[in-house]
Amino acid sequence: MTDEIISDIKRQFESGGNWPYEFGTHRLDENPFAEQWPDIRLFAGYEDELRRLQENIQRNVNTFVTGPFGTGKTILTRTMYEILEDIDGYRPVFVRVQKGRYSKTMAKRILRELDEPVDSQAGQNELYEDIMDSLQALYEEDIRAVIFYDEVINGSDGTLRQILHLQRDIDDWEPVLVFNGTAHMLDQIHSKIEPLSDRIGEEITLSGLDVDGAMELINKRLRYYCAASEWNDDGCTHDDGDVAPFSRESVELIHQDVTPYPRQIRRECNTVIEEAAKAGREGVDFDFVESVMAASATRKIEELTETGIDVLDALNEQGQASANAVTNALDISPYHVQEALGELEKKGLIRATEAGRGLEYKLTHLAERELSNQRRS
């Protein structure tokens, strides 16, 4: 009993006191959109891309999953990693690429993923040899290694060359590689490390969810956390695709007004449902979502740095522009422009789209509307 009380008190503190939230036959004990990635069952919106990745792995084709930040690259590759964990004949390895050279920490992570002992006193070269021996042993047991490199944008040239050697230095075969990162990083690999570039057989680009994908993402989140759903109890309408307390019109508004990437949709739903739980609403309709998102956008704009405001104004005037175009329009260093663009994108005030091999930025509908309202007032 004491443990239950302590857990409940912790949950109340963490949720701001808004939970549990009950509406109709549903009960949410915590915010379904607060946690980033609790379960593979929550994968949504990129079914075709997941199939393509599956086919590439089966055909031993190395793949680069690309797209702007927040599009769901890590979730896509992590989902495939977890699928392969249950498949005989495959050994998946998932490792985040760290800044700097091929570090001992990264090598140790690979060995742990391979269920190999790690010598804490070993040097980098010794750890590298241990990885090679383990991969060779898997091959001899007819087990295919698939190595997922997450956030490869953090990798230096040295890191990428070590990744290349790890693949090609095995005598009889090459493990399948799956990278995720931005298009800019892929261009760097093409221009600087041609042997690794030659081994990338296909590029899968994530560009955001359509409305049905957003509906599926929201439904699965609600179903996973709803105490009444079949995943947790006897069942409720969430099991049939319902998005209560949201209406379809309110989801369409969220999809229209923010960058339609899983991360941004989840963050916006997080804010909206916190307000709904606080108010004890039975439903979250179009008008309620519009008011919450407008207040949120106003608050985000007011919290911006002076540089962030300048960059936002420049994008508002230009409509859509690259980082270089914004830099040329302002008396600000490229570094600070890029930093401001990252801040604005994280807040969901702008969206990045791939144009050629680079990125261009534009205001979201919500940010454009709220900025216009502020200027008028």
Side-chain angles (χ1 to χ4, degrees):
M1 179 63 72
T2 302
D3 289 343
E4 292 177 3
I5 291 173
I6 291 173
S7 296
D8 186 61
I9 289 174
K10 286 182 177 179
R11 185 167 58 248
Q12 290 293 319
F13 272 118
E14 291 168 352
S15 68
N18 300 336
W19 309 86
Y21 175 25
E22 297 185 64
F23 48 95
T25 60
H26 310 290
R27 175 188 170 99
L28 302 174
D29 290 320
E30 56 188 297
N31 191 329
F33 304 97
E35 195 172 6
Q36 184 171 356
W37 183 241
D39 195 291
I40 190 174
R41 289 177 293 180
L42 298 181
F43 178 82
Y46 290 124
E47 287 81 2
D48 290 343
E49 290 80 0
L50 191 66
R51 283 289 187 188
R52 283 173 59 193
L53 183 55
Q54 169 213 333
E55 292 167 1
N56 288 349
I57 291 171
Q58 289 179 312
R59 294 187 294 115
N60 301 329
V61 175
N62 297 329
T63 305
F64 198 109
V65 180
T66 186
F69 294 108
T71 45
K73 301 183 295 294
T74 296
I75 288 178
L76 178 76
T77 52
R78 186 76 193 185
T79 297
M80 184 56 70
Y81 164 82
E82 294 192 27
I83 290 171
L84 288 174
E85 282 192 307
D86 295 329
I87 306 299
D88 292 337
Y90 284 91
R91 175 60 62 85
V93 173
F94 193 93
V95 58
R96 289 187 179 277
V97 176
Q98 298 176 332
K99 291 185 178 180
R101 293 186 63 82
Y102 187 84
S103 69
K104 291 171 65 175
T105 302
M106 182 170 155
K108 289 175 181 178
R109 174 62 185 273
I110 293 175
L111 285 169
R112 291 191 184 101
E113 286 273 308
L114 292 168
D115 296 327
E116 295 290 347
V118 178
D119 182 357
S120 60
Q121 303 302 316
Q124 182 170 299
N125 289 338
E126 294 172 293
L127 293 170
Y128 179 76
E129 291 299 327
D130 289 342
I131 293 172
M132 300 288 289
D133 291 342
S134 178
L135 293 175
Q136 185 68 37
L138 288 174
Y139 169 74
E140 291 170 358
E141 296 172 10
D142 200 26
I143 296 175
R144 191 65 167 158
V146 182
I147 305 179
F148 295 84
Y149 290 103
D150 185 44
E151 299 294 348
V152 75
I153 191 173
N154 291 327
S156 65
D157 291 356
T159 302
L160 296 170
R161 288 194 179 91
Q162 288 286 5
I163 291 171
L164 169 64
H165 292 316
L166 181 61
Q167 185 194 37
R168 73 179 183 185
D169 287 358
I170 298 177
D171 293 334
D172 301 316
W173 65 284
E174 296 179 350
V176 179
L177 304 184
V178 178
F179 302 95
N180 75 55
T182 63
H184 173 67
M185 190 64 212
L186 183 56
D187 284 343
Q188 285 190 310
I189 294 174
H190 287 325
S191 63
K192 295 182 178 180
I193 309 174
E194 190 173 340
L196 181 57
S197 172
D198 291 342
R199 283 170 163 77
I200 297 173
E202 185 180 6
E203 177 183 347
I204 295 177
T205 302
L206 306 185
S207 56
L209 304 179
D210 59 17
V211 173
D212 289 336
M215 291 282 291
E216 184 185 13
L217 182 153
I218 292 170
N219 165 256
K220 285 188 172 182
R221 286 271 173 173
L222 292 166
R223 185 183 180 200
Y224 182 82
Y225 286 94
C226 181
S229 78
E230 288 179 352
W231 284 353
N232 301 298
D233 199 5
D234 293 333
C236 66
T237 56
H238 287 146
D239 300 307
D240 300 321
D242 188 16
V243 290
F246 295 90
S247 65
R248 182 175 180 89
E249 290 74 21
S250 65
V251 173
E252 289 173 347
L253 176 62
I254 292 171
H255 179 269
Q256 169 191 304
D257 273 1
V258 305
T259 304
Y261 302 160
R263 184 183 301 169
Q264 294 295 352
I265 291 172
R266 179 179 61 82
R267 284 177 176 171
E268 212 61 44
C269 288
N270 176 81
T271 301
V272 170
I273 206 165
E274 282 286 353
E275 294 300 317
K278 186 187 300 182
R281 293 181 61 92
E282 278 295 309
V284 177
D285 58 16
F286 182 99
D287 291 340
F288 181 77
V289 169
E290 186 177 46
S291 64
V292 171
M293 290 177 66
S296 176
T298 299
R299 184 171 61 254
K300 290 173 182 176
I301 292 173
E302 290 173 348
E303 292 171 350
L304 290 176
T305 63
E306 183 177 345
T307 302
I309 290 290
D310 290 340
V311 171
L312 198 67
D313 285 337
L315 288 174
N316 191 37
E317 291 176 5
Q318 297 185 36
Q320 180 166 321
S322 66
N324 286 338
V326 174
T327 300
N328 292 334
L330 301 171
D331 187 21
I332 304 173
S333 72
Y335 172 82
H336 289 108
V337 167
Q338 198 63 58
E339 192 175 55
L341 288 170
E343 177 191 15
L344 293 169
E345 189 175 6
K346 184 176 180 180
K347 288 179 176 292
L349 296 172
I350 64 173
R351 67 175 65 185
T353 56
E354 294 192 3
R357 301 303 300 177
L359 293 176
E360 291 191 346
Y361 302 86
K362 63 180 296 185
L363 270 63
T364 60
H365 292 294
L366 181 63
E368 188 176 355
R369 187 166 61 244
E370 292 309 308
L371 193 63
S372 176
N373 290 339
Q374 289 188 22
R375 296 294 183 266
R376 284 200 301 268
S377 62

